[in-house]
Amino acid sequence: MQKPLPLRPVPKHRETLPSFLSRIAAMNGVSATNFALDMGFSLKRFVEFEEVALSNLSLCGGLTDVQLEELMSWTGQSAGDVRMTFRGEEFVSRALRNPIIRGCPVCLQEDIELDRAEPLTQMMMRGDWQLRAVNLCVKHCHPIVPLWEQQSLARRYDLSSRFADILRDLQEGRLEQPRVNLSPYDLWLDTRLQTGADDTWLANHTLYAATTFCELLGKELLRLENASDLDRGAQLRLARTLGFRVACQGEAKIRAALNELATLADGANARPQKAFGRLYIDLNSAYLDKSEFAPFRKILRDCIVEVWPVAAGETVLGAIQTERQLHSILTASQETGIGEVLLEQFLVHAGAIDADDDRPTARKTFDALVYADLLAEIPTLVGPIGMQRAMGATKGQLASLAQDGVLVPRINTPKIKSPWRASDGIALVAELRALAIPIEPSDKCWEGMQAAKKRSDLGVGEIITEVRAGKLKLGRRTNLEGYAAFCVLKEEIDQVKSQNLVAVGGPVITAAAFGRRVGIRTQGWFEKLAAAGHTPATSMPHPKYGGEWIYASVRDIEVFHKRFLTTKTMKEEFERSKKALLLKLEEAKVQRFSPNGEDYGPLYLREDVEPVLG
């Protein structure tokens, strides 16, 4: 057969080479196997694209170079070890070659109708049916269904014989299934096979890698859907649709989907495999050395190291983690030797984790780089005694420094027994030493800062502030070391105290003491009156307990008495009995001071009382 046969078909759209061979064989009244043998070759040699066999078929079939190239393109040819080229893209062989041959029965029925007398001359195999990633016939919205299964390559691709075996089933519609709505995945895949056009993020990825990733991702996303009542085929179609819907939009959408899957694995020992299932397993094994899957591996790897506490040096999806990005309380405890309970209190205080996070310690994660200094610092912290020794201070001196905020614990939580940075105390002593002048132990003009505090009610914080500002001299007794050696001049302390008294209007008394003085013992009474703006008051730090307290200065007291009278001050001023005074006020219908219904006790406006009692 060295010239075109009189009876030969014209290649059809998407037809495969074995299909064309089978149709020319049918037109000449033989099987594809025998037709191949008549040309001097086995059918297998045509399927494997041996050059001489193809040349003979091209001559017998009257094929142009373009027609032969198109047939080969829709058939797929070997591209090395278990690889094939199909429609200009590279696939693994198993993605195209399978003992199970599939097709669309509606397409084949239309072929039969073209020549009912000789249907085998018209029935053809479309190349896209071979691709395992194809779900549907886009033309008829019909699922691609199994037509036959043959292990023998020659029998599998003797299509004229195989079509003859299923001809009756096709004519009677026994292979038909319910039609299915086309999905964006189906249209995208069909367009890319036909023209290579792709306007999605997947355009820069091979079709094999893209379809595989869509399927793997989609199968895991099925866990977020109510798909248990679907059959296997419907589940696979839905999985590919779900995966494509995410993947076609790019990395950000893929990461969001992966993060959602990660929440499904919230157990103490849950690893990435539990969250990502076959997606993780296959990218970590079957596709680990496949370069076309590298972008997808990286996206999944980035998600893993941002969700799980992966240690430096650990291998994730084939890549060694150069540095740890996340710690969990568990891994941080294991690496530092710090107890989990103690560590968690520090991390909550630092804002690394939420106080109400109820996940297991293995899943409570935080930024390892941001909080690396904290992890390194915790073992170096000391308790009060250690702090006192480090800076040469007494218990009372440390308490005063802490109360005034001169020294601040690393964490102010009662359950933490070692909250202090020894370095803070040492730095304070070094700073003060640089400001101090040496003095003899016998010099009585000086006193320790703690003694100055007790004698003057000045806080050590205020004293140190004045020293730093150069307003107070600082001495250092030569017979002592550390903080306990520092002294201030008594005379200068007295001057500061006097200046403070002048600034607030003379000596002050507490609000409670002033209340007792004017005969009103209700707790908070004077504070309430002052807060409402009815009388002035002085706010000052309490010398012993710290914090802002309300006092009454000399000027505050003068202003109060000019405006108000109480039953006690009326009795003292008008020299009458309390009963007589109140009876007189009642007769004159003088009411207590109670603006807007506020109760301030037995308090009266002087301007209301004096005209009655004057």
Side-chain angles (χ1 to χ4, degrees):
M1 299 182 188
Q2 296 298 319
K3 59 182 180 180
L5 296 175
L7 298 177
R8 63 182 187 272
V10 176
K12 295 184 180 182
H13 182 51
R14 300 195 180 194
E15 186 168 14
T16 66
L17 193 76
S19 175
F20 179 79
L21 177 62
S22 293
R23 289 204 299 128
I24 194 173
M27 285 185 176
N28 287 276
V30 294
S31 68
T33 299
N34 290 333
F35 187 81
L37 292 174
D38 288 344
M39 285 191 292
F41 306 97
S42 68
L43 181 59
K44 181 179 179 181
R45 293 174 69 180
F46 285 97
V47 174
E48 293 179 348
F49 291 174
E50 286 194 12
E51 186 175 350
V52 177
L54 291 181
S55 177
N56 273 271
L57 178 60
S58 182
L59 287 172
C60 292
L63 296 172
T64 66
D65 290 344
V66 172
Q67 288 174 324
L68 180 61
E69 184 179 347
E70 185 74 359
L71 287 169
M72 294 171 64
S73 171
W74 282 105
T75 304
Q77 61 187 107
S78 176
D81 188 26
V82 298
R83 290 271 170 166
M84 299 190 74
T85 300
F86 179 71
R87 297 299 295 160
E89 302 217 36
E90 194 172 271
F91 291 82
V92 294
S93 299
R94 66 175 180 273
L96 290 160
R97 295 290 183 261
N98 195 291
I100 300 175
I101 298 298
R102 305 182 310 145
C104 170
V106 184
C107 287
L108 293 172
Q109 287 170 1
E110 289 184 349
D111 292 344
I112 293 170
E113 291 299 316
L114 294 175
D115 190 343
R116 292 186 180 182
E118 299 291 340
L120 297 181
T121 64
Q122 301 298 326
M123 297 173 69
M124 75 153 186
M125 183 66 65
R126 281 75 169 168
D128 51 306
W129 294 351
Q130 302 174 97
L131 190 60
R132 297 295 109 180
V134 171
N135 292 319
L136 302 174
C137 167
V138 170
K139 180 180 179 182
H140 299 113
C141 298
H142 191 287
I144 303 300
V145 300
L147 301 176
W148 62 78
E149 182 175 358
Q150 283 288 344
Q151 295 296 328
S152 166
L153 193 67
R155 287 180 57 80
R156 186 190 309 166
Y157 291 107
D158 187 345
L159 300 183
S160 56
S161 298
R162 300 289 75 78
F163 280 144
D165 294 339
I166 65 170
L167 184 59
R168 180 63 62 85
D169 290 336
L170 288 168
Q171 290 171 329
E172 296 179 359
R174 285 196 287 267
L175 297 181
E176 286 192 53
Q177 294 184 3
R179 305 299 173 95
V180 178
N181 291 330
L182 289 175
S183 72
Y185 169 83
D186 298 312
L187 294 171
W188 162 77
L189 179 54
D190 189 74
T191 300
R192 184 150 167 179
L193 287 173
Q194 175 63 32
T195 66
D198 189 346
D199 59 359
T200 76
W201 179 80
L202 296 169
N204 295 322
H205 301 273
T206 68
L207 193 54
Y208 170 55
T211 54
T212 302
F213 181 75
C214 287
E215 181 175 327
L216 289 172
L217 175 61
K219 284 181 176 178
E220 301 310 318
L221 293 176
L222 280 177
R223 290 186 284 159
L224 304 173
E225 302 284 331
N226 185 17
S228 59
D229 58 337
L230 300 178
D231 61 38
R232 187 174 179 181
Q235 286 193 2
L236 179 57
R237 289 193 297 273
L238 177 58
R240 287 168 172 166
T241 299
L242 292 174
F244 173 75
R245 185 184 299 163
V246 170
C248 72
Q249 299 182 72
E251 293 188 32
K253 288 294 184 180
I254 296 172
R255 278 300 308 274
L258 294 176
N259 288 338
E260 191 171 3
L261 288 172
T263 63
L264 300 179
D266 57 358
N269 300 313
R271 304 296 298 164
Q273 182 174 328
K274 182 176 181 181
F276 306 119
R278 292 301 313 183
L279 174 63
Y280 174 84
I281 294 171
D282 287 358
L283 289 180
N284 196 42
S285 55
Y287 308 116
L288 184 60
D289 59 347
K290 305 294 189 296
S291 60
E292 60 263 53
F293 286 90
F296 302 109
R297 286 197 303 271
K298 183 179 185 304
I299 294 172
L300 181 57
R301 185 188 308 121
D302 289 346
C303 177
I304 289 172
V305 299
E306 290 177 17
V307 174
W308 276 268
V310 179
E314 187 175 338
T315 300
V316 182
L317 294 172
I320 298 176
Q321 186 67 15
T322 56
E323 62 180 0
R324 180 187 284 281
Q325 289 186 214
L326 283 184
H327 252 312
S328 69
I329 292 177
L330 177 62
T331 58
S333 176
Q334 291 170 341
E335 287 190 9
T336 63
I338 305 168
E340 293 179 18
V341 175
L342 176 63
L343 183 59
E344 183 166 357
Q345 292 182 74
F346 273 96
L347 291 170
V348 169
H349 179 266
I353 58 176
D354 294 331
D356 57 356
D357 190 338
D358 59 356
R359 292 178 299 170
T361 55
R363 298 306 304 276
K364 291 182 182 179
T365 54
F366 58 94
D367 193 309
L369 297 177
V370 171
Y371 296 99
D373 290 343
L374 173 62
L375 296 183
E377 183 181 42
I378 293 174
T380 69
L381 298 178
V382 297
I385 294 177
M387 187 66 163
Q388 294 163 33
R389 290 173 178 170
M391 60 183 300
T394 65
K395 180 179 179 180
Q397 288 169 341
L398 176 60
S400 294
L401 290 169
Q403 179 179 307
D404 286 6
V406 179
L407 292 176
V408 179
R410 181 63 179 78
I411 180 173
N412 194 14
T413 301
K415 293 182 179 180
I416 303 297
K417 304 303 180 185
S418 298
W420 294 101
R421 295 186 184 99
S423 59
D424 288 348
I426 294 171
L428 176 64
V429 171
E431 177 195 3
L432 295 180
R433 185 182 180 90
L435 299 173
I437 58 175
I439 59 171
E440 294 297 323
S442 58
D443 192 333
K444 303 299 182 180
C445 295
W446 299 79
E447 61 182 344
M449 283 192 279
Q450 198 71 7
K453 170 185 179 301
K454 292 180 179 178
R455 189 175 62 82
S456 66
D457 285 342
L458 296 175
V460 293
E462 184 180 355
I463 294 173
I464 291 176
T465 298
E466 296 291 299
V467 168
R468 286 168 169 163
K471 297 179 180 179
L472 287 178
K473 295 184 181 69
L474 185 67
R476 177 177 58 83
R477 295 197 185 276
T478 56
N479 64 327
L480 296 175
E481 292 295 332
Y483 180 80
F486 297 120
C487 300
V488 287
L489 284 168
K490 296 177 181 179
E491 181 181 2
E492 290 187 346
I493 291 295
D494 291 340
Q495 290 175 356
V496 172
K497 180 179 179 180
S498 177
Q499 291 168 0
N500 287 350
L501 289 175
V502 171
V504 299
V508 295
I509 60 174
T510 64
F514 177 65
R516 290 192 296 271
R517 178 181 293 183
V518 298
I520 301 179
R521 297 176 177 270
T522 304
Q523 186 174 4
W525 160 79
F526 185 68
E527 292 93 326
K528 180 181 176 182
L529 188 68
H534 301 306
T535 194
T538 299
S539 177
M540 292 175 56
H542 193 283
K544 182 176 181 181
Y545 303 110
E548 292 293 312
W549 283 48
I550 298 299
Y551 295 87
S553 68
V554 172
R555 284 203 300 266
D556 297 335
I557 294 171
E558 289 177 354
V559 172
F560 175 85
H561 286 305
K562 285 181 179 179
R563 187 180 187 197
F564 295 110
L565 286 165
T566 67
T567 52
K568 182 178 181 182
T569 59
M570 281 191 287
K571 181 181 177 181
E572 293 170 352
E573 187 171 332
F574 296 101
E575 297 180 349
R576 302 182 192 179
S577 68
K578 177 180 176 181
K579 184 177 181 180
L581 290 170
L582 294 177
L583 180 60
K584 192 78 171 174
L585 294 176
E586 184 179 351
E587 290 175 351
K589 296 183 179 181
V590 176
Q591 301 294 320
R592 290 183 178 185
F593 178 71
S594 58
N596 300 319
E598 293 289 336
D599 183 13
Y600 294 106
L603 182 67
Y604 297 85
L605 287 172
R606 179 177 287 276
E607 63 184 23
D608 293 338
V609 172
E610 283 188 337
V612 177
L613 301 182

